[in-house]
Amino acid sequence: MIAQWSCGGLSVMLALLRHLTLSCCYGGRRSIATIISGNQTAKLVRERLKKEVDKMKTSKVIPSLLVLQVGNREDSNLYISSKMKAAAEVGIEAAHVRLPNTVTQDEVLRTIASVNEDASVHGLIVQLPLDSVNRMDVELVTNAVSPLKDVDGLSCINAGKLSRGDLNYCYIPCTPNGCMELIRQTGVSVAGKHAVVIGRSKIVGAPMHDLLLWNHATVTTCHSKTHDIAKHVGRADIVVVGAGRAEMVQGDWLKEGCVLIDCGINHVADGSKPSGKRVVGDVHFASAYQRAGFITPVPGGVGPMTVAMLMQNTVLSAQRVLTSAAV
Ligand code: GUN
C-alpha cells in the first residue's frame, strides 16, 4: 500500500500520476521517496484471505497451520506470536508446538513425519533458527516437511520448482513473496527492469532472485564476495536487500527513483530508548529516502508481509486439498 490509502489499481494510477508530476516539476529528478506500507498492504491481504476462508466453510474445510519450534529463542517467540495472531484474524486454525532445546534431531524428524501424515493440517513450518543443544542438520529438517505442506517454501522440491519458473506449482517463500507484492503496489512493472538482490540466503536472497527472474527482470545477486556492491546497486531499477547488515545500503549508492525493498531487521544500540536499542533495516533509511522513488520502512515494511504471505500459502494449501478432493 502506497502512502496512507491507495490499493490495487488505484496505487498504479497514483504511481503513474506521481511519476508524471515529478517528471514535469523536477525535470525527471525526484526529491523524496514514497513509503510503501507493509502494515497496510498486509492488512488488505488478511482481509481478502478472511473472505476466502469464510467461503471455504461451506465445504467444511478450515485451513490449518502448525508452527514447530525447537527451543525458546525470544525473537522466534515474537515472530511466532505474530503468526498466531494473523492466523486468528484470518480464521486459520493455528497450533504452536514447542519442543525443548534438549530434543534430538530424530525426535524432531519424527514430529514432522507425524504432522505430514495428519490430513487435518494443511501447512507446517519449522521456525528457524533451531535452538537446540544437540546437533541439527537444518537442511535435513526443512526437507523432512512434506512439499505439499511446506508453506514456508524452504524444501528442495519447492525451491527447485521456483528456480525453474514453475511458480504455480510450488510454495513461494514468504519474505520474497511479500517483497513482490510490495513491488506490485508501486505500479512499477518488473518485466525488463534491472533488479539487484543483496544476499543469497535460502529464505530471502536466493528465492527473491528466482522470483524476480521469472517475473522477467534481469537480475544481479550480490553477496559477501561481490566486489563493489555500490556499483551494481547504482544500475538497479529495483533493489531488494536481505544482507543482515544494519544500514549497509547508503542513499548515494542508488539510482534516482528506484524501488527499494528492505528485508533487514537489525537491533542497534540507542541510548535514547528505554530498551537501549532500536530496530533498523539493511538500508540507511534517511539517505535512501532522499533518492529512491519508493522505499519500505523498517519496521512496518517487509515484516508484516512475510506473515501475511504465510497465511496466504496456508489458505492455498487448504484450497489445493479441496480441489484435489473434488477431482
Ligand atoms: N525465521 C525467521 N524468518 C522465518 C521464516 O520466514 N520462516 C521460518 N521457518 N523461520 C524463520
Side-chain angles (χ1 to χ4, degrees), residues 164-220:
R164 289 158 58 130
D166 296 335
L167 305 193
N168 294 326
Y169 302 94
C170 68
Y171 290 105
I172 299 169
C174 304
T175 298
N177 212 6
C179 293
M180 279 307 295
E181 204 57 54
L182 292 174
I183 294 168
R184 264 180 222 119
Q185 285 288 313
T186 66
V188 173
S189 75
V190 172
K193 295 290 173 7
H194 184 200
V196 163
V197 178
I198 306 181
R200 53 177 163 179
S201 67
K202 287 179 183 153
I203 207 163
V204 180
M208 191 72 237
H209 167 105
D210 296 339
L211 204 47
L212 286 162
L213 179 68
W214 293 109
N215 277 276
H216 315 300
T218 302
V219 190
T220 302

Side-chain angles (χ1 to χ4, degrees), residues 62-258:
I62 299 174
S64 82
L65 170 70
L66 191 140
V67 180
L68 181 61
Q69 181 183 15
V70 175
N72 197 10
R73 278 177 65 112
E74 203 181 313
D75 56 350
S76 292
N77 292 340
L78 274 174
Y79 293 138
I80 292 170
S81 75
S82 57
K83 290 169 185 176
M84 294 292 139
K85 189 167 162 254
E89 196 182 321
V90 168
I92 291 172
E93 272 180 4
H96 172 198
V97 174
R98 184 189 282 132
L99 301 175
N101 72 348
T102 49
V103 76
T104 65
Q105 179 172 286
D106 277 350
E107 285 167 324
V108 174
L109 294 175
R110 273 200 295 276
T111 305
I112 292 171
S114 80
V115 181
N116 284 343
E117 280 165 25
D118 182 347
S120 72
V121 179
H122 302 108
L124 163 60
I125 72 162
V126 181
Q127 187 67 30
L128 298 175
L130 301 170
D131 170 28
S132 174
V133 296
N134 297 310
R135 207 195 140 274
M136 296 272 165
D137 180 339
V138 180
E139 276 296 288
L140 196 66
V141 169
T142 49
N143 279 311
V145 175
S146 160
L148 300 173
K149 297 188 180 189
D150 171 29
V151 287
D152 243 344
L154 295 182
S155 67
C156 289
I157 299 284
N158 281 309
K161 286 182 180 177
L162 177 59
S163 74
R164 289 158 58 130
D166 296 335
L167 305 193
N168 294 326
Y169 302 94
C170 68
Y171 290 105
I172 299 169
C174 304
T175 298
N177 212 6
C179 293
M180 279 307 295
E181 204 57 54
L182 292 174
I183 294 168
R184 264 180 222 119
Q185 285 288 313
T186 66
V188 173
S189 75
V190 172
K193 295 290 173 7
H194 184 200
V196 163
V197 178
I198 306 181
R200 53 177 163 179
S201 67
K202 287 179 183 153
I203 207 163
V204 180
M208 191 72 237
H209 167 105
D210 296 339
L211 204 47
L212 286 162
L213 179 68
W214 293 109
N215 277 276
H216 315 300
T218 302
V219 190
T220 302
T221 296
C222 301
H223 47 77
S224 54
K225 298 281 188 282
T226 302
H227 295 293
D228 201 353
I229 293 182
K231 186 185 73 187
H232 293 284
V233 169
R235 295 190 188 125
D237 307 298
I238 298 166
V239 184
V240 182
V241 193
R245 283 180 55 192
E247 300 181 322
M248 169 192 169
V249 173
Q250 301 292 315
D252 61 5
W253 293 13
L254 302 169
K255 179 173 171 178
E256 196 119 20
C258 69

